[in-house]
Amino acid sequence: MRDRATSLIAGLVLLAIVGSTWWAADYARRSIPVDPPRRVTHEMDSFIDHFVMTRTDETGLPAARLEGPRAEHYPDDDSYEVRQPRAISQRPDRSVTVATAENGRMDQDGARIVLKGDVAFRRPPANGEPGLLIESEQITLLPNEDVAFTELPAAVTRGDGSRITGTGMQYDNSSRQLTVSSDARVKIAPRAPEAND
Amino acid sequence: GESPRLQQDVPTLIDSDQLDYDDTKQTSVFTGNVVLTRGDLSLRAERLELRQNDAGEQFAVATAGAGKQVYVRQTQPDSVELIEGYADRAEWDSRAEQLDFIGRAVVTRMACSQKLDEIRGERISYNQQRNVYSASGGQMSGAPKGRVRTMIQSRTTSDAAVKSCAPTGGKQ
């Protein structure tokens, strides 16, 4: 009979030890102040002055740059608001493009830059080819795909003076294709007279 | 008379619903209600492909949607005559100033909205500068039995038509 009592007592003591250690661990975790959750309001949490952000392509070469006098970071959607941004695409095998605007917003981890206000997207003339300038009130850049597009009216001026206007445009710098999605108007300038003789 | 204004120094204006422009090959494809105007020439089509070479000369191919035809209208700079052309397909070469109407082609020369002469054929080539056109037959010809049918007014009636609405007092 005694054996049954001692094993019962041993079981009870073991149970008490397990219970108390579980309680102690829980009490300890509850008492330490855990970090407060991230602020999710759209308020700036950090800013950079006179910055240059460079993105590299898969091979590590710098493919795109974003510069500006000031960028403000917002934690809720991890976006940057940039004043007077300059977005440059500089891939080795392709022509450079430079986009400037009054302000811009970069989000989706840099995959998208929306430029607003007097936007000028320029491909400077290079190796004998006339340049290209696209102007609109808003242009969205996708640096990874090296594409620029807008749904608003836009005007394209080519180095040789011809002009394309329309509403809704997309320019792909890798294939140098430009599509105009509605009411396209092209004005091909006459050859400059001196060019003829 | 003096040769018409050199067509080269005239801007080309093209309106359309959509445009696909390839900057490397300098080719443009216009689709949807395409209207090309260049000086006295105007062309309407459903689709226009335009290629421009470095010298700035343009080569265009215009096609119309099913059941419709390309329409071209060319007025003469210093006279009341005008040329109207319909065809399934039109090709335009700004260097040679040549307009080719291909497929059920009908080209009509009018003066003060009176028909002077008319040509039907499968393919009609019209040279803008010399104001001359030539036609060839074929099964896609606008005229019956695939032949070329030409109807030319006598010189007197066409002169009378031209005088009837030409500005009086000769050329200003």
Side-chain angles (χ1 to χ4, degrees):
Chain A
M1 231 330 251
R2 282 176 52 79
D3 304 348
R4 282 173 54 85
T6 51
S7 63
L8 194 62
I9 294 165
L12 279 177
V13 164
L14 195 61
L15 210 62
I17 293 168
V18 165
S20 59
T21 48
W22 178 81
W23 171 78
D26 183 55
Y27 176 76
R29 207 171 2 79
R30 258 188 286 111
S31 60
I32 305 161
V34 180
D35 293 346
R38 268 162 59 98
R39 209 154 21 92
V40 228
T41 55
H42 196 70
E43 280 152 8
M44 175 183 63
D45 67 350
S46 67
F47 67 90
I48 331 165
D49 278 344
H50 308 298
F51 71 95
V52 176
M53 266 189 223
T54 306
R55 289 178 68 81
T56 59
D57 57 16
E58 316 73 38
T59 61
L61 288 170
R65 259 192 359 255
L66 180 65
E67 301 166 356
R70 183 181 173 90
E72 290 167 354
H73 178 259
Y74 292 84
D76 56 342
D77 53 7
D78 188 18
S79 64
Y80 287 88
E81 299 279 345
V82 184
R83 238 174 355 88
Q84 263 90 37
R86 259 169 62 88
I88 296 110
S89 161
Q90 51 181 63
R91 292 180 188 249
D93 49 0
R94 248 173 259 163
S95 34
V96 168
T97 62
V98 180
T100 54
E102 272 159 25
N103 45 61
R105 183 188 140 80
M106 179 165 87
D107 56 11
Q108 294 173 3
D109 189 21
R112 179 176 65 170
I113 302 172
V114 180
L115 298 175
K116 284 201 177 89
D118 199 8
V119 188
F121 176 93
R122 200 183 304 276
R123 192 194 71 217
N127 42 57
E129 277 175 345
L132 187 82
L133 167 65
I134 305 176
E135 287 161 305
S136 176
E137 264 320 292
Q138 177 176 321
I139 294 182
T140 305
L141 307 178
L142 305 176
N144 298 340
E145 290 92 18
D146 209 353
V147 159
F149 67 88
T150 177
E151 270 84 35
L152 301 178
V156 181
T157 322
R158 247 174 69 84
D160 61 6
S162 36
R163 252 173 89 77
I164 302 174
T165 54
T167 307
M169 262 190 211
Q170 164 153 328
Y171 173 68
D172 180 338
N173 194 40
S174 52
S175 62
R176 284 168 64 155
Q177 298 270 3
L178 178 95
T179 54
V180 178
S181 45
S182 68
D183 47 58
R185 159 162 286 196
V186 169
K187 182 169 181 299
I188 302 174
R191 298 307 296 159
E194 66 280 356
N196 283 3
D197 27 3
Chain B
E2 79 288 358
S3 79
R5 253 181 304 98
L6 186 61
Q7 283 285 335
Q8 293 302 10
D9 54 14
V10 169
T12 311
L13 195 61
I14 305 160
D15 287 347
S16 69
D17 288 346
Q18 275 89 34
L19 160 66
D20 285 296
Y21 169 67
D22 183 324
D23 196 49
T24 28
K25 299 202 279 289
Q26 284 195 31
T27 55
S28 316
V29 177
F30 300 86
T31 42
N33 306 317
V34 183
V35 178
L36 177 145
T37 38
R38 176 186 165 99
D40 313 321
L41 169 80
S42 80
L43 178 146
R44 283 175 198 285
E46 211 27 50
R47 180 187 157 85
L48 180 84
E49 282 166 33
L50 187 89
R51 187 172 52 79
Q52 185 173 328
N53 62 19
D54 293 343
E57 287 137 355
Q58 288 137 29
F59 309 92
V61 173
T63 47
K68 285 186 289 188
Q69 288 202 304
V70 177
Y71 166 68
V72 172
R73 178 189 161 87
Q74 159 98 29
T75 52
Q76 291 308 324
D78 44 18
S79 88
V80 288
E81 280 180 32
L82 72 89
I83 303 279
E84 274 192 346
Y86 290 90
D88 293 346
R89 180 186 151 95
E91 285 174 9
W92 174 56
D93 172 345
S94 87
R95 180 181 49 191
E97 295 202 60
Q98 170 102 3
L99 251 172
D100 291 339
F101 298 92
I102 299 147
R104 293 182 298 141
V106 179
V107 174
T108 327
R109 199 159 64 92
M110 326 252 284
C112 344
S113 70
Q114 281 164 8
K115 194 186 284 188
L116 296 186
D117 42 40
E118 179 192 84
I119 284 195
R120 289 171 179 271
E122 183 191 325
R123 183 187 182 95
I124 300 174
S125 302
Y126 170 66
N127 186 297
Q128 291 168 287
Q129 197 150 26
R130 299 203 310 280
N131 190 13
V132 160
Y133 37 85
S134 66
S136 58
Q139 75 286 18
M140 287 290 289
S141 157
K145 293 200 288 306
R147 296 170 54 76
V148 172
R149 159 167 296 169
T150 310
M151 185 271 295
I152 300 182
Q153 297 281 9
S154 66
R155 177 48 71 185
T156 47
T157 32
S158 54
D159 286 353
V162 168
K163 238 189 254 56
S164 67
C165 64
T168 53
K171 287 207 180 44
Q172 278 74 18

